[in-house]
């Protein structure tokens, strides 16, 4: 029969896990190719026929607790799911937006691990506006080799210490933004809330039990998130510099099927809760 394991952390375990996570965040933010998914657009939408395009960089810092279990399979599984879903690291940001008229706007954004398409509508005046939108994302989480040089690989149904979860999936989010702009849009500022869900399916490389191909564990993960954002932009047409920071609470559930040498695969489950901080900046032109 497949076995299922899930863990609940006590207060002391959470404290130890949080301190360990802070150290891990620093390392992942330097070597990872993750990054957040900032909006980097104000509350006001573009007029009909106008287009904006820009490029910059985004980052993501993740603070979370992990299982206090000593089982290497569980720890490796949870760490891989955390890296794939929370995606700590730094990544490029690129986006293009266009005005559809009637206070509607659409956009396409690339953020290192995902491509997001969205549409929104704005309400308000020339100076103050409220926009409500919805976005859909295609997500790709590529493996990243972090094996320590000279470290022998583990044996058994244990996730390898180097390769991460190779996964793909989809996501949906709803942002609501309130903002202000000065005459000629020289200075703009915005604040808002954003919530969404993301689902990933993938394969996690395991240490081989014997000679032969590397076995894979089938993994699924779902991430729910919600939080706030604040941004500002300054410039003279056609260029402006935009900065934004997103803070969100994250709740992740994951499950894996680990193939055994004989019989059905063993099941494993885990949960993850934490906070992410995602700063970003870009140079954007309007045409």
């Amino acid at each position: 029969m497949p076995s299922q394991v899930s863990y609940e952390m006590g207060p002391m375990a959470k404290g130890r896990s949080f301190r360990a996570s802070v150290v891990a965040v620093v390392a992942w933010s330097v070597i990872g190719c993750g990054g957040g998914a900032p909006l980097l657009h104000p509350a006001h939408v573009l007029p009909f026929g106008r287009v904006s395009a820009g490029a910059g960089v985004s980052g993501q810092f993740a603070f979370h607790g992990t299982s206090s279990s000593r089982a290497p399979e569980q720890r490796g599984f949870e760490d891989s799911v955390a890296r794939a879903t929370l995606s700590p690291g730094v990544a490029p940001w690129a986006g293009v937006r266009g005005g559809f008229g009637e206070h509607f706007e659409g956009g396409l954004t690339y953020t290192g691990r995902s491509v997001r398409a969205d549409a929104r509508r704005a309400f308000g005046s020339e100076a103050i506006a409220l926009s409500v939108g919805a976005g859909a994302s295609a997500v790709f989480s590529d493996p990243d080799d972090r094996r320590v040089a000279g470290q022998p690989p583990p044996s058994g149904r244990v996730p390898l210490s180097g390769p991460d979860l190779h996964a793909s999936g989809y996501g949906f989010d709803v942002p609501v933004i309130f903002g202000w702009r000065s005459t000629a849009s020289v200075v703009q500022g915005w604040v808002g809330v954003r919530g969404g869900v993301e689902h990933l399916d993938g394969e996690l490389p395991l240490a081989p039990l014997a000679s032969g191909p590397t076995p894979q564990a089938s993994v699924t993960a779902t991430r729910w998130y919600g939080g706030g954002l604040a941004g500002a932009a300054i410039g003279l047409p056609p260029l402006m510099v935009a900065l934004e920071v997103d803070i969100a609470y994250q709740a992740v559930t994951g499950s894996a099927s680990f193939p055994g040498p004989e019989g059905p695969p063993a099941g494993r489950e885990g949960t993850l809760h934490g906070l992410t901080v995602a700063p970003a900046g870009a140079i954007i032109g309007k045409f």
Side-chain angles (χ1 to χ4, degrees), residues 4-74:
Q4 291 189 338
V5 182
S6 61
Y7 294 91
E8 295 292 335
M9 294 183 293
M12 293 183 64
K14 288 182 179 179
R16 291 192 299 269
S17 296
F18 176 81
R19 289 191 294 270
S21 298
V22 172
V23 176
V25 163
V26 175
W28 290 343
S29 65
V30 174
I31 62 178
C33 185
L39 301 176
L40 280 175
H41 61 63
H44 291 82
V45 298
L46 294 166
F48 175 75
R50 293 293 300 275
V51 175
S52 70
V57 64
S58 67
Q60 179 124 298
F61 300 89
F63 304 91
H64 63 87
T66 56
S67 170
S68 59
S69 168
R70 294 181 179 275
E73 289 181 19
Q74 184 71 19

Side-chain angles (χ1 to χ4, degrees), residues 249-272:
Y249 177 77
Q250 311 277 351
V252 180
T253 59
S255 61
S257 296
F258 287 78
E262 296 179 359
R268 198 162 293 275
E269 298 178 346
T271 60
L272 177 70

Side-chain angles (χ1 to χ4, degrees), residues 74-163:
Q74 184 71 19
R75 290 200 308 272
F77 161 61
E78 291 181 352
D79 288 345
S80 296
V81 169
R83 290 194 292 268
T85 56
L86 301 184
S87 189
V90 177
W93 180 95
V96 59
R97 309 193 65 80
F100 297 153
E102 300 297 329
H103 304 288
F104 281 94
E105 180 187 276
L108 190 65
T109 308
Y110 168 73
T111 57
R113 66 184 289 270
S114 66
V115 176
R116 175 180 182 264
D118 77 286
R120 63 189 183 118
R121 190 186 193 285
F123 308 85
S125 64
E126 287 295 321
I128 297 175
L130 175 72
S131 73
V132 180
S137 302
V139 185
F140 307 93
S141 181
D142 292 325
D144 186 11
D145 193 353
R146 295 187 178 90
R147 184 188 303 277
V148 178
Q151 178 180 342
S155 60
R157 287 198 311 272
V158 179
L160 290 171
S161 59

Side-chain angles (χ1 to χ4, degrees), residues 151-178:
Q151 178 180 342
S155 60
R157 287 198 311 272
V158 179
L160 290 171
S161 59
D164 284 341
L165 174 64
H166 188 175
S168 61
Y170 55 87
F172 303 95
D173 68 284
V174 176
V176 178
I177 306 173
F178 175 79

